[in-house]
């Protein structure tokens, strides 16, 4: 019996070890793992090569408009309009379509840059000395300009001529010795209290203005009455140096039937002339000149 057990021991033990060796064989698995690892490495290497060959996309960084640092990098022309409007609207009162610059402190010596939609501009009682062509060149919407009470002695000839919408121009209380070209649609011109003489007023400067209704030339140095348009309703020529009138000053001397229907008011007082010496000068008017005469 003992011998049988010993025999079985020597037979079964080697068989068990051989079977374990077969089932726990790691070489194929190890080789498989290595093979998989090699494939992954080759795939990753190929990806690296592909990524290296693939062109990089150009990255454009969008500015953060809320960041104050980025504002310094903006192009100088990006917001020219605001840069131009801001100082004017700090000195003046800017409403929709209107700019009021009256008695500005510190002294305003030139026309400030205006918003492009400005229709009404008031700059009374300042120290403006000159009007240049560029001052209103880009403001095609202007309908009224009031520059009374300044020190304007020079206006460049094209400063107002291109303002197609301008209807009222007030330059009273300045130092003008010459009138510039005027826009065709002008309805009212006030140049009272200046230094105008006849040589500073072009011969037909008013005659061509077919819509001019109100003309104020009082308190100047005019020696004669300039030709006046048919559309005129009111003309003030008081306190000048007008010494004589003709039959054609207001009327048409060769046409006794002509009546100047539009003319409602004429002032000639304060001039060195006697109205009684020129009876035919007013025959076409519906009323005689007003004012205090000697």
């Amino acid at each position: 019996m003992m011998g049988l057990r010993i025999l079985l021991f020597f037979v079964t033990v080697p068989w068990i070890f051989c079977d374990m060796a077969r089932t726990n064989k790691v070489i194929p698995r190890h080789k498989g793992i290595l093979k998989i690892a090699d494939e992954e490495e080759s795939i990753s290497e190929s990806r690296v090569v592909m990524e290296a060959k693939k062109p990089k996309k150009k990255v454009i960084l969008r500015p953060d408009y809320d960041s104050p640092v980025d504002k310094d990098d903006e192009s100088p022309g990006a917001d020219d309009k605001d840069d131009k409007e801001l100082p004017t609207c700090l000195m003046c009162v800017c409403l929709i379509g209107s700019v009021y610059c009256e008695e500005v402190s510190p002294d305003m010596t030139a026309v400030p840059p205006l918003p492009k939609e400005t229709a009404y501009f008031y700059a009374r009682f300042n120290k403006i000395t000159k009007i240049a062509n560029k001052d209103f060149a880009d403001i095609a919407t202007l309908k009224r300009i009031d520059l009374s009470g300044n020190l304007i002695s020079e206006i460049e000839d094209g400063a107002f001529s291109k303002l197609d919408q301008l209807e009222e121009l007030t330059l009273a209380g300045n130092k003008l010795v010459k009138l510039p070209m005027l826009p065709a649609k002008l309805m009212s011109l006030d140049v009272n209290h200046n230094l105008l003489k006849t040589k500073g007023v072009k011969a037909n400067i008013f005659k061509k203005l077919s819509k001019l209704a109100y003309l104020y030339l009082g308190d100047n140095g005019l020696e004669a009455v300039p030709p006046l348009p048919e559309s005129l309703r009111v003309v003030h020529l008081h306190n000048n140096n007008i010494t004589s009138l003709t039959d054609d000053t207001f009327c048409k001397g060769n046409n006794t039937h002509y009546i100047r229907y539009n003319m409602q008011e004429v002032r000639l007082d304060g001039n060195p002339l006697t109205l009684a010496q020129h009876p035919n000068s007013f025959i076409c008017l519906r009323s005689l000149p007003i004012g205090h005469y000697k």
Side-chain angles (χ1 to χ4, degrees), residues 24-273:
N24 293 331
K25 199 171 186 179
V26 298
I27 293 174
R29 292 186 180 181
H30 181 65
K31 287 182 178 178
I33 293 171
L34 288 176
K35 185 177 181 182
I36 293 171
D38 291 341
E39 289 178 357
E40 288 180 351
E41 284 184 6
S42 64
I43 292 171
S44 67
E45 286 178 0
S46 65
R47 285 179 180 172
V48 170
V49 172
M50 289 176 67
E51 288 179 0
K53 291 182 179 180
K54 188 177 181 180
K56 294 183 178 180
K57 291 183 179 180
K58 186 177 180 182
V59 178
I60 301 174
L61 298 176
R62 293 184 179 180
D64 182 6
Y65 291 103
D66 294 331
S67 173
V69 178
D70 293 335
K71 292 182 180 179
D72 296 336
D73 297 333
E74 293 179 359
S75 60
D79 206 7
D80 285 344
K81 184 179 178 182
D82 292 341
D83 291 341
K84 290 180 179 180
E85 289 180 10
L86 186 58
T88 302
C89 293
L90 283 177
M91 294 186 299
C92 310
V93 176
C94 294
L95 303 175
I96 298 176
S98 300
V99 178
Y100 299 85
C101 303
E102 300 188 357
E103 297 183 278
V104 174
S105 180
D107 293 341
M108 179 181 286
T109 58
V111 175
L114 300 175
K116 289 190 176 181
E117 69 276 7
T118 304
Y120 304 96
F121 176 51
Y122 304 88
R124 297 177 288 195
F125 310 113
N126 289 293
K127 300 294 177 63
I128 299 172
T129 58
K130 180 181 177 180
I131 307 299
N133 290 339
K134 63 180 179 62
D135 290 339
F136 302 110
D138 298 328
I139 318 296
T141 54
L142 277 167
K143 293 183 178 181
R144 181 183 300 165
I145 297 175
D146 191 342
L147 295 166
S148 55
N150 280 274
L151 302 173
I152 302 169
S153 59
E154 180 184 356
I155 300 177
E156 293 185 2
D157 213 28
F160 305 119
S161 60
K162 295 182 180 180
L163 300 179
D164 295 334
Q165 304 301 317
L166 192 65
E167 297 177 350
E168 297 182 33
L169 178 59
T170 302
L171 298 165
N174 282 280
K175 297 183 176 182
L176 290 174
V177 295
K178 178 184 176 183
L179 287 181
M181 293 177 61
L182 300 169
K185 291 185 179 181
L186 197 65
M187 297 178 64
S188 176
L189 175 65
D190 186 350
V191 285
N192 282 339
H193 295 279
N194 275 276
L195 304 174
L196 293 171
K197 294 186 177 181
T198 300
K199 64 180 181 180
V201 180
K202 293 180 182 179
N204 292 317
I205 190 171
F206 305 124
K207 196 76 173 177
K208 296 179 180 180
L209 303 180
S210 60
K211 294 187 177 182
L212 188 65
Y214 304 93
L215 178 60
Y216 303 99
L217 291 164
D219 292 283
N220 280 281
L222 298 175
E223 297 89 7
V225 178
L228 304 173
E230 293 290 328
S231 57
L232 209 58
R233 298 180 182 179
V234 175
V235 57
H236 286 186
L237 293 158
H238 56 284
N239 299 330
N240 279 277
N241 291 323
I242 300 170
T243 56
S244 64
L245 300 173
T246 69
D247 294 348
D248 295 321
T249 299
F250 299 102
C251 306
K252 296 179 180 179
N254 59 353
N255 186 355
T256 56
H257 299 286
Y258 170 74
I259 298 177
R260 197 162 191 144
Y261 288 103
N262 290 327
M263 188 72 75
Q264 299 173 0
E265 182 178 305
V266 176
R267 278 193 66 180
L268 283 165
D269 51 307
N271 284 281
L273 61 82

